[in-house]
């Protein structure tokens, strides 16, 4: 079965989620399901204030979960990236590994896949109140996917420049150096970007040791 049910304890919170593994998408744990939208007769969702407040410690705990997902991605034959989607009630609702290699899909970065999956499962109002946590700062493609999915907050452990220092000119991952904040700044939405987290950079980078030929 292409999705794996996950149940664990994180920072004192119980959660259940599903993880995309193959060519189909199966279920989610918590959250409001997508019920269809009519957008012409209401104010844009991104003008609604975000209701949840996350402490620094909570952000660190969720980022540590993404580091675990990134290690799983490597063990499953893909590059070392992973992310999670967290709702305003601090439940993990989706987890996503990078599946670019195993799926033979050039756009199958973890953030893009999660954004696409989330847009199938949830409506825009719900996603505007959600947080995407990821090991490394999203690339330009993933920033675009997050924007179109309407996810309201992005949190990353290390910058794209930190990643570039490890990947170099890798054919598999020719990393850009384009800050996510700069891309979001040219958009209509005030998507909040948090990161990097200096105390997690070494931990996030450790999963990459020996992978890029260094």
């Amino acid at each position: 079965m292409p999705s794996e049910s996950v149940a664990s304890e994180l920072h004192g919170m119980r959660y259940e989620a599903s993880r995309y593994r193959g060519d189909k998408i199966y279920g989610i744990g918590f959250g409001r399901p997508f019920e269809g939208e009519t957008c012409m007769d209401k104010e844009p969702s991104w003008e609604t204030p975000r209701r949840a407040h996350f402490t620094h410690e909570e952000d660190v705990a969720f980022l540590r979960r993404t580091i675990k997902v990134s290690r799983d991605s490597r063990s499953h034959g893909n590059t070392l990236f992973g992310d999670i989607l967290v709702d305003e009630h601090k439940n993990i609702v989706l987890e996503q590994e990078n599946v670019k290699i195993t799926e033979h899909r050039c756009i199958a970065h973890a953030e893009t896949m999660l954004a696409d999956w989330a847009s199938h499962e949830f409506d825009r109002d719900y996603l505007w109140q959600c947080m995407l946590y990821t090991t490394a700062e999203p690339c330009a493609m993933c920033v675009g996917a997050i924007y179109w999915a309407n996810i309201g907050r992005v949190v990353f452990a290390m910058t794209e420049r930190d990643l570039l220092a490890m990947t170099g000119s890798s054919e598999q991952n020719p990393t850009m150096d384009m800050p996510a904040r700069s891309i979001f700044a040219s958009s209509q939405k005030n998507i909040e970007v948090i990161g990097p987290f200096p105390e997690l950079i070494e931990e996030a980078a450790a999963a990459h040791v020996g992978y890029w030929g260094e």
Side-chain angles (χ1 to χ4, degrees):
M1 186 171 180
S3 74
E4 172 186 307
S5 179
V6 179
S8 184
E9 296 287 339
L10 179 69
H11 203 62
M13 295 171 286
R14 180 74 176 174
Y15 74 87
E16 294 181 1
S18 294
R19 188 179 299 179
Y20 177 90
R21 280 289 175 76
D23 61 355
K24 294 184 179 178
I25 295 170
Y26 292 85
I28 49 89
F30 294 100
R32 186 174 70 190
F34 180 89
E35 297 173 347
E37 301 172 79
T38 56
C39 300
M40 301 304 292
D41 58 351
K42 70 182 189 71
E43 291 296 315
S45 53
W46 58 87
E47 292 185 1
T48 304
R50 282 180 286 273
R51 294 183 286 267
H53 172 72
F54 285 66
T55 67
H56 181 83
E57 292 73 22
E58 287 170 330
D59 283 340
V60 167
F62 284 123
L63 285 171
R64 285 206 161 107
R65 178 64 195 176
T66 70
I67 294 170
K68 168 63 168 60
V69 176
S70 76
R71 293 194 190 103
D72 291 344
S73 181
R74 179 173 183 171
S75 69
H76 296 141
N78 287 291
T79 48
L80 307 88
F81 304 102
D83 54 16
I84 62 175
L85 187 71
V86 177
D87 70 11
E88 64 176 303
H89 305 295
K90 305 183 180 181
N91 298 309
I92 297 176
V93 294
L94 298 176
E95 292 189 339
Q96 180 63 59
E97 300 171 15
N98 185 297
V99 291
K100 179 181 175 184
I101 296 173
T102 54
E103 293 292 303
H104 304 285
R105 299 170 66 183
C106 66
I107 65 168
H109 290 193
E111 299 94 332
T112 291
M113 297 299 289
L114 184 143
D116 181 57
W117 185 10
S119 70
H120 279 274
E121 299 290 344
F122 305 109
D123 66 27
R124 291 184 180 91
D125 291 328
Y126 178 85
L127 289 173
W128 183 247
Q129 300 297 333
C130 287
M131 282 57 63
L132 185 149
Y133 288 85
T134 185
T135 47
E137 184 176 16
C139 73
M141 175 184 72
C142 293
V143 166
I146 292 165
Y147 175 83
W148 289 110
N150 208 46
I151 297 168
R153 186 171 184 257
V154 178
V155 187
F156 61 86
M158 62 180 174
T159 67
E160 192 169 40
R161 184 168 293 181
D162 293 327
L163 179 63
L164 176 60
M166 293 185 288
T167 62
S169 57
S170 165
E171 181 76 20
Q172 185 60 243
N173 204 92
T175 307
M176 298 179 180
D177 185 6
M178 188 177 298
R181 287 181 178 87
S182 299
I183 304 172
F184 284 130
S186 65
S187 75
Q188 295 189 53
K189 304 175 184 180
N190 182 26
I191 294 174
E192 185 179 7
V193 180
I194 308 295
F197 284 67
E199 68 268 44
L200 291 179
I201 292 175
E202 184 176 350
E203 189 175 338
H208 294 256
V209 171
Y211 187 86
W212 303 107
E214 71 273 22

